[in-house]
Amino acid sequence: MSVQPQPWPDPDPQIAAAIGAMYAGRREVPLAVRVRDRFGELFADGEFSVAFGQRGKPGWSPGRLALVTVLQKAENLTDRQAAEAVRTDLAWKYALGLDLQDPGFDHSVLSEFRSRVVAHGLEEKVLDLLLARLVEQGIVGAGGKQRTDSTHVISAVRDLSQLDLAGETVRAALEALVCAAPHWVEQVIDVPSWSRRYGDRVPGWHPPASKAKRARLAVDYGQDGFALLTAVHAPASPTWLRDLPAVQVLRRVLVQIYTRTVSGSGREVVKRREAKVDGLPPGQRRVTSPYDIDARRSVKGDTLWNGFKIHISETCQATAPAASGDNAVARPDRHGAVRPNLVTNVTTTDATVADNAMLDTVHQVLQRRGLLPGEHYLDSGYASAELIVGSVKRFGVVLVTPMLSDQTRQGRAKEGFATHDFRIDWQGREVVCPAGQTSTTWSPCRQGGLAKTVVVFSPTVCGPCPLRPKCTTSKLERRQLTLHPQEMHEALKSARAQQETDEWKHDYAIRAGVEGTIHQATTVTGIRRARYHGLKKTHLDHVYSAVALNLIRLDAWWNGHPLDRTRTSHLARLNLSLVA
């Protein structure tokens, strides 16, 4: 398929006249029409030309396919429904510059478009282009306030037990080998017997009733898998069979679930791994499905899921109390306008990645787009002393986030002497306890890759101290402290003091609005359930969902629909109207 970048055609006059007649008066035009009128050619073909060849059969405009995909997300349509909308919906034809007789395209074109975009690393192109246009129009920019939060994303594959995973992985590899080399397969296995076990997908909903039968079946799956790998790697087998993705996944899963040893009699022994005896791979490396090797299991609070995690960043504005004093409304900016809250970045990771590990990545992307905030509102999952100091130094971004309390035993219990009760002399490299005793050792070290200092008091002064029950219960009869570097320690102490003030709590309330954004993205675009396999395609889906969300919000703003107060009862609304 080839693409010669060309400007988008102007809307067909007949369609424009029909749209004008249909939406005359006070009726609001559809989103697709509004986007074309406001932005014109939003996604130029040239921005996607690297993903398409210069020779071959002419293909559909990639820029217009990008807009189709965004509108598809805005209306939560399938590929078939989106292709049908291109053929029949006048608003879509207007936005794409198609005439009435244009037949559109087959729905499979959208799948091929997504695959090409992912293969050439263009997943974020549409969000980059939209935000660049909004920067030009002065709707978004650097500085100001932004907020970020994450939520879980369930993968598009079955959730498998370890037993089901073993059997289904063997079946998936066997299916791939039969498709690639059927004659080779019939030479190396007993097709009828294997077909009885692997002819259909592994029926995980009714495994063998007894524990012994399940253990026997697990060993059978392992032996079959190793036998298949041995046959693939035999000298007489075609070497290219080893490179089949399903075969590579089989190798990983077998190592993850089984151990294979040779007994004293020379017999091969295959058994399932035991965590305490044989060890298990770390969670971030553990495959959970042969059909999506990027999906991972994770838990957060009461939520246990298999899949991914999405981090959403959006602009936000300071709030002021409403007339009734019960609700908060957005304050106008310095130009007197209340601008829409727009998504500035989405980042997709596997489910095991901690929130605080992604904050630098989020800031780097925002810096590339020229949209770094002055203040970044986050929940405690993103917070650490290192990030508070590092974000200001590297990006000039102030983090507004609640810090966890002192994690020493005394700090958690809020009784006894916590770290903040000790006086630290950073220049003299010593610490004085509440009883007036001085530490004996000051030992710089690294813990978890971070610089720390371990301070220890002598048992000779801690042992007879009358305050020792409030200070330490160590059997060594001495107190030990682990300190961050001075700058981080003081930043952490200051942050914990600030978050206790009413002013900080009122300011931090703005962060809660990102929960509404996640709810809107889930309701409108379905971001909590992955549509595709793999991390890259899931991220592509999230990026197009973010663009769709931005266009929906811009459309509401253009039409004069202000941000509504959420979670407000009808009685409270009546009270607000009477006050107004």
Side-chain angles (χ1 to χ4, degrees), residues 404-415 418-420:
L404 297 176
S405 61
D406 190 331
Q407 293 302 293
T408 61
R409 177 185 61 81
Q410 298 85 348
R412 292 194 302 270
K414 294 186 178 181
E415 58 182 27
T419 303
H420 61 264

Side-chain angles (χ1 to χ4, degrees), residues 163-164 203-218 272:
L163 178 63
D164 299 335
W205 56 87
H206 52 77
S210 71
K211 184 177 180 179
K213 288 183 178 180
R214 290 195 297 271
R216 179 66 254 174
L217 182 58
R272 295 172 71 174

Side-chain angles (χ1 to χ4, degrees), residues 327-543:
N327 295 284
V329 295
R331 291 188 183 131
D333 64 12
R334 58 196 177 109
H335 301 293
V338 177
R339 299 178 181 179
N341 297 330
L342 299 175
V343 177
T344 55
N345 182 62
V346 289
T347 301
T348 310
T349 68
D350 72 65
T352 63
V353 178
D355 288 352
N356 59 12
M358 294 307 300
L359 189 57
D360 271 358
T361 301
V362 170
H363 284 160
Q364 288 168 11
V365 176
L366 292 175
Q367 185 179 51
R368 174 177 63 80
R369 291 176 175 149
L371 294 175
L372 276 174
E375 296 179 335
H376 202 166
Y377 292 75
L378 309 154
D379 66 20
S380 58
Y382 290 92
S384 71
E386 293 78 14
L387 289 173
I388 287 179
V389 174
S391 294
V392 174
K393 282 187 174 181
R394 292 192 294 272
F395 304 104
V397 177
V398 176
L399 302 187
V400 183
T401 173
M403 300 299 300
L404 297 176
S405 61
D406 190 331
Q407 293 302 293
T408 61
R409 177 185 61 81
Q410 298 85 348
R412 292 194 302 270
K414 294 186 178 181
E415 58 182 27
F417 300 131
T419 303
H420 61 264
D421 295 314
F422 290 73
R423 180 166 55 84
I424 304 172
D425 181 359
W426 296 97
Q427 284 68 39
R429 297 165 65 91
E430 62 182 18
V431 176
V432 179
C433 75
Q437 300 294 335
T438 303
S439 61
T440 55
T441 64
W442 177 284
S443 306
C445 64
R446 296 193 71 82
Q447 295 182 2
L450 301 174
K452 298 288 181 68
T453 298
V454 176
V455 178
V456 179
F457 288 81
S458 172
T460 59
V461 297
C462 289
C465 180
L467 299 179
R468 183 165 62 85
K470 293 184 176 181
C471 189
T472 181
T473 57
S474 169
K475 293 181 180 179
L476 299 177
E477 296 188 344
R478 67 181 185 184
R479 181 65 186 267
Q480 176 177 305
L481 301 176
T482 301
L483 306 177
H484 289 89
Q486 181 179 1
E487 186 178 18
M488 296 181 185
H489 177 85
E490 293 175 350
L492 188 59
K493 184 177 180 180
S494 175
R496 285 172 175 163
Q498 287 180 6
Q499 69 192 40
E500 298 300 323
T501 65
D502 291 339
E503 182 181 0
W504 186 93
K505 292 176 181 177
H506 177 268
D507 185 39
Y508 182 68
I510 195 175
R511 191 215 69 87
V514 74
E515 304 288 352
T517 297
I518 292 175
H519 175 75
Q520 184 183 18
T522 301
T523 303
V524 175
T525 67
I527 61 164
R528 276 222 178 99
R529 287 192 175 273
R531 289 193 177 194
Y532 315 112
H533 294 167
L535 180 61
K536 289 185 176 181
K537 276 200 172 182
T538 301
H539 178 55
L540 172 76
D541 188 53
H542 291 163
V543 170

